[in-house]
Amino acid sequence: MEKLLVNGNNLLGGEIAVHGAKNSVLPILAASLLVEGKSVIHNVPKLSDVDESINILNYLGAKVKRENSTLIIDTTNITNNAIPEEMMRKMRSSIIFLGSLLSRLKEVYLCYPGGCDIGIRPIDLHLSSLRSLGASIVENGNCICCKCQNLHGAKIILSFPSVGATENIIISSVLAKGRTTIINAAREPEISDLATYLNLCGAKIFGAGEGTIEIEGVDRLHSAEHTIIPDRIVAATYMSIASINSQELIINNVKPSHLNPVIPVFMEMGCKIYLSKDSLKIVSPKRLKRVRTIKTMPYPGFPTDCQAVVMAALTKAKGTTVINESIFENRFKHISELNRFGAEITVNDRVAIVNGVKNLYSANVYCTDLRGGASLLVAALSADGTSTIGNIYHIDRGYEDIENNLALIGADIKRINHEKKGEKN
Ligand code: UD1
């Protein structure tokens, strides 16, 4: 079982680059099924979730070739309309293949998706939206059978701006007959990136990034080339690391406007942020200040994906911060692990109270989910002594080559293969 071994409290600094956004790549890979031809996608990070999506594409009949950070995807021959359960359960994003396979082959068989255990994560909005577009869906236990001869446009009002449901509706409606309107659509930058890619392929999607999206169905999509946007969650993770482990860090390959929801929080913590076109510099104070309250919200609110990493930084702030997790009902699993470093965090339902402490101490901890795992890394880098982090396959789902990237800015961190009898994994 692999672990990260971290010698904490090294002063970090210099420059670090952010890779392409995982949450953009995954729906775009699913959407590539709509194109009867080649998609060339640049800035694709090497992540286990990306590998799982490529496995699904290959299984369905696509040919995928990687050249460094570019993927060349040939979806000319798609023959399979079923995805095996073990592939579906590897990640939440597998559910986006429902819309793309339905549009391409008119009949799909799959089961409920997996992904981080951060809440119940139903897919009711995905299924009701596809039904509005004309699909007939039969759920049989864990299996979903979805059929449709001709998808048609519809007006869909989402009761919550679900990212995944918005992506599934966009993907299912670009080749549908007529106009689709999504009201209360998710506004995350990854939605806009999906629309940019599909529009480059010939789709007609208007208003992505806003609360109302209009899609005019077209007859076919053609080959295209697209570059994935930078990963704003990875950028915010590096900002969290910098805020308690460095005096100054330059973070390259970022889109500053995508970080608007998190920058004010770091400024309230006492950090100075200097923005350029595609990079930022974060200058950290001697000790962070507490933030009065943080509430996770759909974009452009504070992202739930940044809750854990920012919380890890705030464990060392002067004063008490209240963090309210409003998106997922079970996204505080990292807290008991953060407390092993000497952090003082208590939880009441969806509210965490973080009492800042002066020092964190080394601990042996285990990742509970992807971003929770990253929060342990933020803490370990700032703890006195040597820590180990287990179950790092969670971190590998969303951070490319994390130990070597952090080593470049001075972190003393290495990946070890560690097997102990009776050890939890
Ligand atoms: C995506 C992101 C994830 C991020 C989340 C919220 C990807 C691959 N994942 O996940 O990193 O944390 O957005 O920003 O892009 N819901 C329902 N019914 C549904 C769908 C969602 O009730 O049919 C609820 C969920 O349980 C959750 C909330 O809506 O409470 C947000 O979920 P959603 O926006 O759909 O997140 P994901 O697309 O799963």
Side-chain angles (χ1 to χ4, degrees):
M1 190 53 64
E2 285 186 332
K3 290 190 172 195
L4 289 176
L5 185 73
V6 183
N7 281 316
N9 254 340
N10 270 16
L11 185 63
L12 310 184
E15 300 193 21
I16 193 163
V18 172
H19 56 66
K22 168 181 89 78
N23 289 353
S24 270
V25 179
L26 302 181
I28 285 174
L29 292 187
S32 71
L33 285 179
L34 303 181
V35 179
E36 290 183 43
K38 279 189 183 163
S39 295
V40 178
I41 313 292
H42 303 292
N43 201 26
V44 178
K46 286 194 176 111
L47 302 170
S48 57
D49 270 14
V50 172
D51 290 341
E52 299 302 345
S53 285
I54 293 172
N55 287 343
I56 293 178
L57 282 172
N58 283 330
Y59 180 85
L60 296 172
K63 291 195 178 88
V64 186
K65 203 166 104 188
R66 187 186 262 279
E67 287 172 3
N68 302 314
S69 64
T70 295
L71 287 186
I72 301 147
I73 309 162
D74 185 347
T75 46
T76 308
N77 295 310
I78 298 299
T79 43
N80 244 329
N81 64 3
I83 302 177
E85 180 163 3
E86 66 270 21
M87 287 185 166
M88 285 299 293
R89 290 184 72 102
K90 291 267 168 64
M91 58 183 172
R92 170 78 178 174
S93 263
S94 54
I95 194 61
I96 310 299
F97 281 95
L98 181 61
S100 58
L101 265 181
L102 181 70
S103 178
R104 177 77 189 254
L105 296 179
K106 316 289 179 213
E107 196 167 329
V108 193
Y109 298 88
L110 38 76
C111 66
Y112 282 86
C116 282
D117 181 14
I118 52 179
I120 305 170
R121 306 188 84 174
I123 54 167
D124 55 318
L125 298 174
H126 299 243
L127 300 185
S128 62
S129 304
L130 289 179
R131 284 190 174 107
S132 302
L133 295 168
S136 77
I137 302 174
V138 179
E139 292 174 82
N140 188 357
N142 192 31
C143 300
I144 303 165
C145 165
C146 190
K147 294 185 189 175
C148 182
Q149 261 328 298
N150 291 303
L151 290 168
H152 56 72
K155 179 175 173 179
I156 298 172
I157 305 174
L158 289 174
S159 56
F160 180 88
S162 155
V163 173
T166 303
E167 289 164 350
N168 243 332
I169 300 167
I170 292 175
I171 287 172
S172 320
S173 57
V174 286
L175 292 172
K177 209 167 170 45
R179 175 172 280 250
T180 297
T181 306
I182 314 173
I183 313 265
N184 199 24
R187 296 160 63 188
E188 272 70 0
E190 294 76 20
I191 302 283
S192 306
D193 206 27
L194 172 65
T196 302
Y197 160 69
L198 285 169
N199 282 344
L200 284 169
C201 298
K204 290 188 176 162
I205 305 165
F206 310 97
E210 292 163 28
T212 299
I213 300 178
E214 305 265 2
I215 303 126
E216 194 65 60
V218 296
D219 289 340
R220 62 185 54 83
L221 297 184
H222 51 72
S223 298
E225 197 165 335
H226 174 68
T227 301
I228 298 291
I229 56 170
D231 196 310
R232 64 197 166 98
I233 311 300
V234 171
T237 304
Y238 291 161
M239 290 170 82
S240 302
I241 289 172
S243 70
I244 50 171
N245 294 294
S246 84
Q247 284 165 354
E248 192 177 301
L249 184 72
I250 294 172
I251 306 177
N252 293 319
N253 192 27
V254 296
K255 183 113 173 60
S257 63
H258 294 170
L259 294 165
N260 282 345
V262 298
I263 285 173
V265 171
F266 283 97
M267 288 169 69
E268 201 177 331
M269 284 152 77
C271 298
K272 291 201 172 83
I273 313 280
Y274 301 92
L275 302 175
S276 344
K277 190 169 156 274
D278 55 8
S279 76
L280 69 80
K281 181 164 85 175
I282 173 165
V283 179
S284 312
K286 270 213 161 71
R287 189 170 180 198
L288 293 180
K289 292 185 283 189
R290 62 95 185 247
V291 177
R292 201 173 292 269
T293 46
I294 295 176
K295 184 173 184 182
T296 63
M297 298 286 279
Y299 194 86
F302 185 87
T304 173
D305 285 351
C306 295
Q307 176 252 108
V309 291
V310 170
M311 180 187 291
L314 285 163
T315 61
K316 286 188 89 174
K318 190 169 178 353
T320 301
T321 300
V322 176
I323 301 182
N324 184 333
E325 172 55 61
S326 83
I327 307 291
F328 291 106
E329 65 278 12
N330 195 11
R331 205 166 195 181
F332 279 153
K333 285 185 165 175
H334 50 280
I335 288 179
S336 55
E337 297 299 293
L338 283 177
N339 283 344
R340 289 176 191 268
F341 290 101
E344 285 180 14
I345 312 168
T346 52
V347 181
N348 187 354
D349 193 20
R350 288 188 177 202
V351 176
I353 312 282
V354 185
N355 259 324
V357 294
K358 268 203 163 143
N359 294 307
L360 296 179
Y361 302 97
S362 60
N364 299 316
V365 293
Y366 288 87
C367 303
T368 52
D369 59 84
L370 166 54
R371 306 301 169 189
S375 78
L376 304 181
L377 194 48
V378 176
L381 287 166
S382 173
D384 292 338
T386 304
S387 301
T388 63
I389 305 176
N391 290 348
I392 54 171
Y393 57 87
H394 285 294
I395 294 178
D396 292 335
R397 293 185 45 218
Y399 297 86
E400 181 180 280
D401 202 7
I402 187 72
E403 66 276 22
N404 289 321
N405 280 320
L406 291 175
L408 288 176
I409 56 167
D412 184 350
I413 174 173
K414 63 178 179 223
R415 190 176 287 252
I416 52 168
N417 238 318
H418 192 96
E419 208 68 63
K420 232 198 251 166
K421 225 178 163 189
E423 192 172 34
K424 159 180 159 191
N425 59 43

